[in-house]
Amino acid sequence: MGRLSQGQMIAAVGGIALLVAMWLPWIGISAPSLPSGVAPGGVDTSTSENIWKGSSLDIYLLITGVVAILPALMALTDSAEEFSFVSAATLLLGTVAMILVVAFLTVDFPDGADRKIGAFVALGAAIVIAVGGFRAMQEEVAAEI
């Protein structure tokens, strides 16, 4: 069994959080308000969608989450030496995911919709993935010296 570095653990936690965040609500759409005195009669007047239904960002975030978890799994199976570029890929994918989620929240977000918790958890997870990838790269360089 290999030893997990601190950066690999950080990135793996961020990857798991990102994968979970993809199933949380990202977009909330409220129905038009009803006149006073009119009850909806048990009908849900609002709906929430996760990233799988609201954007083409889903596949990129899925790949980012898997790649963030990959170095930790590889370290546990002693195959981390075979793919030394994975920490750099984790840093790059985490940074790009952070930029894309911010762009989604600011520029590409549907008009009239509410931002839900899943988008903010995903943004935090992308930051954690980027930090973990950076830390893992630092640890790899320090081990070579």
mmCIF file with all atom_site columns, all heavy atoms in Angstrom, residues 85-110:
data_model
loop_
_atom_site.group_PDB
_atom_site.id
_atom_site.type_symbol
_atom_site.label_atom_id
_atom_site.label_alt_id
_atom_site.label_comp_id
_atom_site.label_asym_id
_atom_site.label_entity_id
_atom_site.label_seq_id
_atom_site.pdbx_PDB_ins_code
_atom_site.Cartn_x
_atom_site.Cartn_y
_atom_site.Cartn_z
_atom_site.occupancy
_atom_site.B_iso_or_equiv
_atom_site.pdbx_formal_charge
_atom_site.auth_seq_id
_atom_site.auth_comp_id
_atom_site.auth_asym_id
_atom_site.auth_atom_id
_atom_site.pdbx_PDB_model_num
ATOM 1   N N   . PHE A 1 85  ? 2.144   12.842 -13.935 1.00 0.00 ? 85  PHE A N   1
ATOM 2   C CA  . PHE A 1 85  ? 1.518   14.064 -14.428 1.00 0.00 ? 85  PHE A CA  1
ATOM 3   C C   . PHE A 1 85  ? 0.133   14.297 -13.829 1.00 0.00 ? 85  PHE A C   1
ATOM 4   O O   . PHE A 1 85  ? -0.461  15.350 -14.054 1.00 0.00 ? 85  PHE A O   1
ATOM 5   C CB  . PHE A 1 85  ? 1.381   14.012 -15.952 1.00 0.00 ? 85  PHE A CB  1
ATOM 6   C CG  . PHE A 1 85  ? 0.470   12.914 -16.423 1.00 0.00 ? 85  PHE A CG  1
ATOM 7   C CD1 . PHE A 1 85  ? -0.888  13.148 -16.564 1.00 0.00 ? 85  PHE A CD1 1
ATOM 8   C CD2 . PHE A 1 85  ? 0.975   11.661 -16.715 1.00 0.00 ? 85  PHE A CD2 1
ATOM 9   C CE1 . PHE A 1 85  ? -1.737  12.137 -16.984 1.00 0.00 ? 85  PHE A CE1 1
ATOM 10  C CE2 . PHE A 1 85  ? 0.122   10.646 -17.133 1.00 0.00 ? 85  PHE A CE2 1
ATOM 11  C CZ  . PHE A 1 85  ? -1.225  10.881 -17.275 1.00 0.00 ? 85  PHE A CZ  1
ATOM 12  N N   . VAL A 1 86  ? -0.402  13.364 -13.083 1.00 0.00 ? 86  VAL A N   1
ATOM 13  C CA  . VAL A 1 86  ? -1.781  13.454 -12.617 1.00 0.00 ? 86  VAL A CA  1
ATOM 14  C C   . VAL A 1 86  ? -1.978  14.626 -11.652 1.00 0.00 ? 86  VAL A C   1
ATOM 15  O O   . VAL A 1 86  ? -3.016  15.286 -11.681 1.00 0.00 ? 86  VAL A O   1
ATOM 16  C CB  . VAL A 1 86  ? -2.232  12.115 -11.992 1.00 0.00 ? 86  VAL A CB  1
ATOM 17  C CG1 . VAL A 1 86  ? -3.633  12.223 -11.429 1.00 0.00 ? 86  VAL A CG1 1
ATOM 18  C CG2 . VAL A 1 86  ? -2.159  11.015 -13.015 1.00 0.00 ? 86  VAL A CG2 1
ATOM 19  N N   . SER A 1 87  ? -0.989  14.941 -10.826 1.00 0.00 ? 87  SER A N   1
ATOM 20  C CA  . SER A 1 87  ? -1.138  16.084 -9.915  1.00 0.00 ? 87  SER A CA  1
ATOM 21  C C   . SER A 1 87  ? -1.216  17.389 -10.691 1.00 0.00 ? 87  SER A C   1
ATOM 22  O O   . SER A 1 87  ? -1.998  18.279 -10.343 1.00 0.00 ? 87  SER A O   1
ATOM 23  C CB  . SER A 1 87  ? 0.029   16.125 -8.931  1.00 0.00 ? 87  SER A CB  1
ATOM 24  O OG  . SER A 1 87  ? -0.010  14.994 -8.099  1.00 0.00 ? 87  SER A OG  1
ATOM 25  N N   . ALA A 1 88  ? -0.426  17.499 -11.745 1.00 0.00 ? 88  ALA A N   1
ATOM 26  C CA  . ALA A 1 88  ? -0.491  18.703 -12.585 1.00 0.00 ? 88  ALA A CA  1
ATOM 27  C C   . ALA A 1 88  ? -1.839  18.777 -13.296 1.00 0.00 ? 88  ALA A C   1
ATOM 28  O O   . ALA A 1 88  ? -2.425  19.855 -13.421 1.00 0.00 ? 88  ALA A O   1
ATOM 29  C CB  . ALA A 1 88  ? 0.647   18.703 -13.597 1.00 0.00 ? 88  ALA A CB  1
ATOM 30  N N   . ALA A 1 89  ? -2.334  17.637 -13.751 1.00 0.00 ? 89  ALA A N   1
ATOM 31  C CA  . ALA A 1 89  ? -3.651  17.613 -14.399 1.00 0.00 ? 89  ALA A CA  1
ATOM 32  C C   . ALA A 1 89  ? -4.742  17.996 -13.408 1.00 0.00 ? 89  ALA A C   1
ATOM 33  O O   . ALA A 1 89  ? -5.692  18.704 -13.761 1.00 0.00 ? 89  ALA A O   1
ATOM 34  C CB  . ALA A 1 89  ? -3.920  16.231 -14.985 1.00 0.00 ? 89  ALA A CB  1
ATOM 35  N N   . THR A 1 90  ? -4.611  17.555 -12.161 1.00 0.00 ? 90  THR A N   1
ATOM 36  C CA  . THR A 1 90  ? -5.588  17.911 -11.130 1.00 0.00 ? 90  THR A CA  1
ATOM 37  C C   . THR A 1 90  ? -5.593  19.416 -10.889 1.00 0.00 ? 90  THR A C   1
ATOM 38  O O   . THR A 1 90  ? -6.661  20.033 -10.800 1.00 0.00 ? 90  THR A O   1
ATOM 39  C CB  . THR A 1 90  ? -5.271  17.161 -9.819  1.00 0.00 ? 90  THR A CB  1
ATOM 40  O OG1 . THR A 1 90  ? -5.271  15.756 -10.083 1.00 0.00 ? 90  THR A OG1 1
ATOM 41  C CG2 . THR A 1 90  ? -6.287  17.468 -8.752  1.00 0.00 ? 90  THR A CG2 1
ATOM 42  N N   . LEU A 1 91  ? -4.421  20.010 -10.800 1.00 0.00 ? 91  LEU A N   1
ATOM 43  C CA  . LEU A 1 91  ? -4.331  21.462 -10.626 1.00 0.00 ? 91  LEU A CA  1
ATOM 44  C C   . LEU A 1 91  ? -4.978  22.186 -11.805 1.00 0.00 ? 91  LEU A C   1
ATOM 45  O O   . LEU A 1 91  ? -5.786  23.092 -11.617 1.00 0.00 ? 91  LEU A O   1
ATOM 46  C CB  . LEU A 1 91  ? -2.873  21.892 -10.474 1.00 0.00 ? 91  LEU A CB  1
ATOM 47  C CG  . LEU A 1 91  ? -2.610  23.398 -10.535 1.00 0.00 ? 91  LEU A CG  1
ATOM 48  C CD1 . LEU A 1 91  ? -3.292  24.120 -9.379  1.00 0.00 ? 91  LEU A CD1 1
ATOM 49  C CD2 . LEU A 1 91  ? -1.119  23.672 -10.541 1.00 0.00 ? 91  LEU A CD2 1
ATOM 50  N N   . LEU A 1 92  ? -4.639  21.769 -13.010 1.00 0.00 ? 92  LEU A N   1
ATOM 51  C CA  . LEU A 1 92  ? -5.173  22.428 -14.209 1.00 0.00 ? 92  LEU A CA  1
ATOM 52  C C   . LEU A 1 92  ? -6.694  22.282 -14.301 1.00 0.00 ? 92  LEU A C   1
ATOM 53  O O   . LEU A 1 92  ? -7.411  23.263 -14.507 1.00 0.00 ? 92  LEU A O   1
ATOM 54  C CB  . LEU A 1 92  ? -4.513  21.860 -15.463 1.00 0.00 ? 92  LEU A CB  1
ATOM 55  C CG  . LEU A 1 92  ? -5.038  22.412 -16.782 1.00 0.00 ? 92  LEU A CG  1
ATOM 56  C CD1 . LEU A 1 92  ? -4.675  23.880 -16.912 1.00 0.00 ? 92  LEU A CD1 1
ATOM 57  C CD2 . LEU A 1 92  ? -4.509  21.614 -17.939 1.00 0.00 ? 92  LEU A CD2 1
ATOM 58  N N   . LEU A 1 93  ? -7.191  21.063 -14.133 1.00 0.00 ? 93  LEU A N   1
ATOM 59  C CA  . LEU A 1 93  ? -8.637  20.837 -14.231 1.00 0.00 ? 93  LEU A CA  1
ATOM 60  C C   . LEU A 1 93  ? -9.401  21.552 -13.118 1.00 0.00 ? 93  LEU A C   1
ATOM 61  O O   . LEU A 1 93  ? -10.488 22.089 -13.344 1.00 0.00 ? 93  LEU A O   1
ATOM 62  C CB  . LEU A 1 93  ? -8.945  19.339 -14.211 1.00 0.00 ? 93  LEU A CB  1
ATOM 63  C CG  . LEU A 1 93  ? -8.529  18.560 -15.453 1.00 0.00 ? 93  LEU A CG  1
ATOM 64  C CD1 . LEU A 1 93  ? -8.712  17.067 -15.225 1.00 0.00 ? 93  LEU A CD1 1
ATOM 65  C CD2 . LEU A 1 93  ? -9.298  19.014 -16.659 1.00 0.00 ? 93  LEU A CD2 1
ATOM 66  N N   . GLY A 1 94  ? -8.842  21.555 -11.913 1.00 0.00 ? 94  GLY A N   1
ATOM 67  C CA  . GLY A 1 94  ? -9.493  22.257 -10.808 1.00 0.00 ? 94  GLY A CA  1
ATOM 68  C C   . GLY A 1 94  ? -9.571  23.758 -11.047 1.00 0.00 ? 94  GLY A C   1
ATOM 69  O O   . GLY A 1 94  ? -10.590 24.394 -10.780 1.00 0.00 ? 94  GLY A O   1
ATOM 70  N N   . THR A 1 95  ? -8.485  24.324 -11.591 1.00 0.00 ? 95  THR A N   1
ATOM 71  C CA  . THR A 1 95  ? -8.474  25.759 -11.886 1.00 0.00 ? 95  THR A CA  1
ATOM 72  C C   . THR A 1 95  ? -9.472  26.106 -12.979 1.00 0.00 ? 95  THR A C   1
ATOM 73  O O   . THR A 1 95  ? -10.232 27.076 -12.867 1.00 0.00 ? 95  THR A O   1
ATOM 74  C CB  . THR A 1 95  ? -7.055  26.203 -12.290 1.00 0.00 ? 95  THR A CB  1
ATOM 75  O OG1 . THR A 1 95  ? -6.148  25.859 -11.233 1.00 0.00 ? 95  THR A OG1 1
ATOM 76  C CG2 . THR A 1 95  ? -6.995  27.692 -12.544 1.00 0.00 ? 95  THR A CG2 1
ATOM 77  N N   . VAL A 1 96  ? -9.492  25.307 -14.045 1.00 0.00 ? 96  VAL A N   1
ATOM 78  C CA  . VAL A 1 96  ? -10.435 25.559 -15.138 1.00 0.00 ? 96  VAL A CA  1
ATOM 79  C C   . VAL A 1 96  ? -11.878 25.355 -14.658 1.00 0.00 ? 96  VAL A C   1
ATOM 80  O O   . VAL A 1 96  ? -12.772 26.121 -15.018 1.00 0.00 ? 96  VAL A O   1
ATOM 81  C CB  . VAL A 1 96  ? -10.102 24.686 -16.361 1.00 0.00 ? 96  VAL A CB  1
ATOM 82  C CG1 . VAL A 1 96  ? -11.174 24.805 -17.429 1.00 0.00 ? 96  VAL A CG1 1
ATOM 83  C CG2 . VAL A 1 96  ? -8.747  25.071 -16.934 1.00 0.00 ? 96  VAL A CG2 1
ATOM 84  N N   . ALA A 1 97  ? -12.113 24.343 -13.826 1.00 0.00 ? 97  ALA A N   1
ATOM 85  C CA  . ALA A 1 97  ? -13.464 24.120 -13.285 1.00 0.00 ? 97  ALA A CA  1
ATOM 86  C C   . ALA A 1 97  ? -13.911 25.318 -12.456 1.00 0.00 ? 97  ALA A C   1
ATOM 87  O O   . ALA A 1 97  ? -15.074 25.740 -12.536 1.00 0.00 ? 97  ALA A O   1
ATOM 88  C CB  . ALA A 1 97  ? -13.489 22.848 -12.441 1.00 0.00 ? 97  ALA A CB  1
ATOM 89  N N   . MET A 1 98  ? -12.997 25.881 -11.677 1.00 0.00 ? 98  MET A N   1
ATOM 90  C CA  . MET A 1 98  ? -13.317 27.056 -10.874 1.00 0.00 ? 98  MET A CA  1
ATOM 91  C C   . MET A 1 98  ? -13.732 28.215 -11.790 1.00 0.00 ? 98  MET A C   1
ATOM 92  O O   . MET A 1 98  ? -14.759 28.868 -11.538 1.00 0.00 ? 98  MET A O   1
ATOM 93  C CB  . MET A 1 98  ? -12.070 27.431 -10.063 1.00 0.00 ? 98  MET A CB  1
ATOM 94  C CG  . MET A 1 98  ? -12.254 28.429 -9.007  1.00 0.00 ? 98  MET A CG  1
ATOM 95  S SD  . MET A 1 98  ? -10.782 28.625 -7.959  1.00 0.00 ? 98  MET A SD  1
ATOM 96  C CE  . MET A 1 98  ? -9.416  28.551 -9.084  1.00 0.00 ? 98  MET A CE  1
ATOM 97  N N   . ILE A 1 99  ? -12.981 28.440 -12.842 1.00 0.00 ? 99  ILE A N   1
ATOM 98  C CA  . ILE A 1 99  ? -13.293 29.523 -13.786 1.00 0.00 ? 99  ILE A CA  1
ATOM 99  C C   . ILE A 1 99  ? -14.637 29.265 -14.471 1.00 0.00 ? 99  ILE A C   1
ATOM 100 O O   . ILE A 1 99  ? -15.460 30.168 -14.625 1.00 0.00 ? 99  ILE A O   1
ATOM 101 C CB  . ILE A 1 99  ? -12.155 29.678 -14.811 1.00 0.00 ? 99  ILE A CB  1
ATOM 102 C CG1 . ILE A 1 99  ? -10.892 30.192 -14.114 1.00 0.00 ? 99  ILE A CG1 1
ATOM 103 C CG2 . ILE A 1 99  ? -12.567 30.603 -15.955 1.00 0.00 ? 99  ILE A CG2 1
ATOM 104 C CD1 . ILE A 1 99  ? -9.635  30.092 -14.947 1.00 0.00 ? 99  ILE A CD1 1
ATOM 105 N N   . LEU A 1 100 ? -14.877 28.026 -14.885 1.00 0.00 ? 100 LEU A N   1
ATOM 106 C CA  . LEU A 1 100 ? -16.123 27.704 -15.582 1.00 0.00 ? 100 LEU A CA  1
ATOM 107 C C   . LEU A 1 100 ? -17.347 27.829 -14.682 1.00 0.00 ? 100 LEU A C   1
ATOM 108 O O   . LEU A 1 100 ? -18.403 28.290 -15.125 1.00 0.00 ? 100 LEU A O   1
ATOM 109 C CB  . LEU A 1 100 ? -16.047 26.294 -16.181 1.00 0.00 ? 100 LEU A CB  1
ATOM 110 C CG  . LEU A 1 100 ? -15.103 26.134 -17.365 1.00 0.00 ? 100 LEU A CG  1
ATOM 111 C CD1 . LEU A 1 100 ? -15.032 24.670 -17.792 1.00 0.00 ? 100 LEU A CD1 1
ATOM 112 C CD2 . LEU A 1 100 ? -15.519 27.010 -18.520 1.00 0.00 ? 100 LEU A CD2 1
ATOM 113 N N   . VAL A 1 101 ? -17.229 27.422 -13.417 1.00 0.00 ? 101 VAL A N   1
ATOM 114 C CA  . VAL A 1 101 ? -18.366 27.555 -12.498 1.00 0.00 ? 101 VAL A CA  1
ATOM 115 C C   . VAL A 1 101 ? -18.653 29.028 -12.225 1.00 0.00 ? 101 VAL A C   1
ATOM 116 O O   . VAL A 1 101 ? -19.816 29.446 -12.202 1.00 0.00 ? 101 VAL A O   1
ATOM 117 C CB  . VAL A 1 101 ? -18.122 26.763 -11.194 1.00 0.00 ? 101 VAL A CB  1
ATOM 118 C CG1 . VAL A 1 101 ? -19.198 27.073 -10.160 1.00 0.00 ? 101 VAL A CG1 1
ATOM 119 C CG2 . VAL A 1 101 ? -18.088 25.271 -11.469 1.00 0.00 ? 101 VAL A CG2 1
ATOM 120 N N   . VAL A 1 102 ? -17.606 29.835 -12.062 1.00 0.00 ? 102 VAL A N   1
ATOM 121 C CA  . VAL A 1 102 ? -17.814 31.273 -11.871 1.00 0.00 ? 102 VAL A CA  1
ATOM 122 C C   . VAL A 1 102 ? -18.468 31.871 -13.113 1.00 0.00 ? 102 VAL A C   1
ATOM 123 O O   . VAL A 1 102 ? -19.407 32.678 -13.011 1.00 0.00 ? 102 VAL A O   1
ATOM 124 C CB  . VAL A 1 102 ? -16.485 31.987 -11.536 1.00 0.00 ? 102 VAL A CB  1
ATOM 125 C CG1 . VAL A 1 102 ? -16.620 33.490 -11.648 1.00 0.00 ? 102 VAL A CG1 1
ATOM 126 C CG2 . VAL A 1 102 ? -16.017 31.597 -10.148 1.00 0.00 ? 102 VAL A CG2 1
ATOM 127 N N   . ALA A 1 103 ? -18.010 31.480 -14.302 1.00 0.00 ? 103 ALA A N   1
ATOM 128 C CA  . ALA A 1 103 ? -18.617 31.980 -15.541 1.00 0.00 ? 103 ALA A CA  1
ATOM 129 C C   . ALA A 1 103 ? -20.077 31.537 -15.644 1.00 0.00 ? 103 ALA A C   1
ATOM 130 O O   . ALA A 1 103 ? -20.938 32.313 -16.069 1.00 0.00 ? 103 ALA A O   1
ATOM 131 C CB  . ALA A 1 103 ? -17.830 31.492 -16.752 1.00 0.00 ? 103 ALA A CB  1
ATOM 132 N N   . PHE A 1 104 ? -20.363 30.306 -15.251 1.00 0.00 ? 104 PHE A N   1
ATOM 133 C CA  . PHE A 1 104 ? -21.738 29.819 -15.276 1.00 0.00 ? 104 PHE A CA  1
ATOM 134 C C   . PHE A 1 104 ? -22.614 30.631 -14.332 1.00 0.00 ? 104 PHE A C   1
ATOM 135 O O   . PHE A 1 104 ? -23.736 31.009 -14.682 1.00 0.00 ? 104 PHE A O   1
ATOM 136 C CB  . PHE A 1 104 ? -21.781 28.336 -14.913 1.00 0.00 ? 104 PHE A CB  1
ATOM 137 C CG  . PHE A 1 104 ? -23.174 27.785 -14.806 1.00 0.00 ? 104 PHE A CG  1
ATOM 138 C CD1 . PHE A 1 104 ? -23.908 27.522 -15.944 1.00 0.00 ? 104 PHE A CD1 1
ATOM 139 C CD2 . PHE A 1 104 ? -23.748 27.546 -13.577 1.00 0.00 ? 104 PHE A CD2 1
ATOM 140 C CE1 . PHE A 1 104 ? -25.196 27.018 -15.859 1.00 0.00 ? 104 PHE A CE1 1
ATOM 141 C CE2 . PHE A 1 104 ? -25.040 27.041 -13.480 1.00 0.00 ? 104 PHE A CE2 1
ATOM 142 C CZ  . PHE A 1 104 ? -25.760 26.784 -14.618 1.00 0.00 ? 104 PHE A CZ  1
ATOM 143 N N   . LEU A 1 105 ? -22.107 30.915 -13.148 1.00 0.00 ? 105 LEU A N   1
ATOM 144 C CA  . LEU A 1 105 ? -22.886 31.648 -12.150 1.00 0.00 ? 105 LEU A CA  1
ATOM 145 C C   . LEU A 1 105 ? -23.098 33.118 -12.522 1.00 0.00 ? 105 LEU A C   1
ATOM 146 O O   . LEU A 1 105 ? -24.083 33.722 -12.109 1.00 0.00 ? 105 LEU A O   1
ATOM 147 C CB  . LEU A 1 105 ? -22.213 31.569 -10.776 1.00 0.00 ? 105 LEU A CB  1
ATOM 148 C CG  . LEU A 1 105 ? -22.331 30.232 -10.059 1.00 0.00 ? 105 LEU A CG  1
ATOM 149 C CD1 . LEU A 1 105 ? -21.452 30.218 -8.826  1.00 0.00 ? 105 LEU A CD1 1
ATOM 150 C CD2 . LEU A 1 105 ? -23.766 29.943 -9.698  1.00 0.00 ? 105 LEU A CD2 1
ATOM 151 N N   . THR A 1 106 ? -22.190 33.680 -13.294 1.00 0.00 ? 106 THR A N   1
ATOM 152 C CA  . THR A 1 106 ? -22.289 35.105 -13.589 1.00 0.00 ? 106 THR A CA  1
ATOM 153 C C   . THR A 1 106 ? -22.794 35.404 -14.998 1.00 0.00 ? 106 THR A C   1
ATOM 154 O O   . THR A 1 106 ? -23.650 36.261 -15.175 1.00 0.00 ? 106 THR A O   1
ATOM 155 C CB  . THR A 1 106 ? -20.927 35.794 -13.392 1.00 0.00 ? 106 THR A CB  1
ATOM 156 O OG1 . THR A 1 106 ? -19.949 35.153 -14.210 1.00 0.00 ? 106 THR A OG1 1
ATOM 157 C CG2 . THR A 1 106 ? -20.501 35.735 -11.941 1.00 0.00 ? 106 THR A CG2 1
ATOM 158 N N   . VAL A 1 107 ? -22.291 34.709 -15.995 1.00 0.00 ? 107 VAL A N   1
ATOM 159 C CA  . VAL A 1 107 ? -22.589 35.054 -17.384 1.00 0.00 ? 107 VAL A CA  1
ATOM 160 C C   . VAL A 1 107 ? -23.631 34.125 -17.999 1.00 0.00 ? 107 VAL A C   1
ATOM 161 O O   . VAL A 1 107 ? -24.564 34.572 -18.667 1.00 0.00 ? 107 VAL A O   1
ATOM 162 C CB  . VAL A 1 107 ? -21.291 35.014 -18.231 1.00 0.00 ? 107 VAL A CB  1
ATOM 163 C CG1 . VAL A 1 107 ? -21.580 35.312 -19.677 1.00 0.00 ? 107 VAL A CG1 1
ATOM 164 C CG2 . VAL A 1 107 ? -20.265 35.969 -17.670 1.00 0.00 ? 107 VAL A CG2 1
ATOM 165 N N   . ASP A 1 108 ? -23.490 32.840 -17.760 1.00 0.00 ? 108 ASP A N   1
ATOM 166 C CA  . ASP A 1 108 ? -24.287 31.833 -18.464 1.00 0.00 ? 108 ASP A CA  1
ATOM 167 C C   . ASP A 1 108 ? -25.516 31.384 -17.686 1.00 0.00 ? 108 ASP A C   1
ATOM 168 O O   . ASP A 1 108 ? -26.202 30.458 -18.095 1.00 0.00 ? 108 ASP A O   1
ATOM 169 C CB  . ASP A 1 108 ? -23.390 30.637 -18.783 1.00 0.00 ? 108 ASP A CB  1
ATOM 170 C CG  . ASP A 1 108 ? -23.991 29.700 -19.810 1.00 0.00 ? 108 ASP A CG  1
ATOM 171 O OD1 . ASP A 1 108 ? -24.730 30.197 -20.685 1.00 0.00 ? 108 ASP A OD1 1
ATOM 172 O OD2 . ASP A 1 108 ? -23.726 28.495 -19.743 1.00 0.00 ? 108 ASP A OD2 1
ATOM 173 N N   . PHE A 1 109 ? -25.803 32.005 -16.568 1.00 0.00 ? 109 PHE A N   1
ATOM 174 C CA  . PHE A 1 109 ? -26.914 31.552 -15.723 1.00 0.00 ? 109 PHE A CA  1
ATOM 175 C C   . PHE A 1 109 ? -28.243 31.958 -16.361 1.00 0.00 ? 109 PHE A C   1
ATOM 176 O O   . PHE A 1 109 ? -28.372 33.050 -16.899 1.00 0.00 ? 109 PHE A O   1
ATOM 177 C CB  . PHE A 1 109 ? -26.790 32.147 -14.319 1.00 0.00 ? 109 PHE A CB  1
ATOM 178 C CG  . PHE A 1 109 ? -27.467 31.348 -13.275 1.00 0.00 ? 109 PHE A CG  1
ATOM 179 C CD1 . PHE A 1 109 ? -26.890 30.188 -12.802 1.00 0.00 ? 109 PHE A CD1 1
ATOM 180 C CD2 . PHE A 1 109 ? -28.690 31.732 -12.776 1.00 0.00 ? 109 PHE A CD2 1
ATOM 181 C CE1 . PHE A 1 109 ? -27.516 29.433 -11.832 1.00 0.00 ? 109 PHE A CE1 1
ATOM 182 C CE2 . PHE A 1 109 ? -29.328 30.984 -11.809 1.00 0.00 ? 109 PHE A CE2 1
ATOM 183 C CZ  . PHE A 1 109 ? -28.731 29.828 -11.342 1.00 0.00 ? 109 PHE A CZ  1
ATOM 184 N N   . PRO A 1 110 ? -29.249 31.076 -16.320 1.00 0.00 ? 110 PRO A N   1
ATOM 185 C CA  . PRO A 1 110 ? -30.547 31.397 -16.932 1.00 0.00 ? 110 PRO A CA  1
ATOM 186 C C   . PRO A 1 110 ? -31.187 32.638 -16.300 1.00 0.00 ? 110 PRO A C   1
ATOM 187 O O   . PRO A 1 110 ? -31.153 32.824 -15.088 1.00 0.00 ? 110 PRO A O   1
ATOM 188 C CB  . PRO A 1 110 ? -31.398 30.156 -16.646 1.00 0.00 ? 110 PRO A CB  1
ATOM 189 C CG  . PRO A 1 110 ? -30.434 29.066 -16.349 1.00 0.00 ? 110 PRO A CG  1
ATOM 190 C CD  . PRO A 1 110 ? -29.216 29.720 -15.769 1.00 0.00 ? 110 PRO A CD  1
#
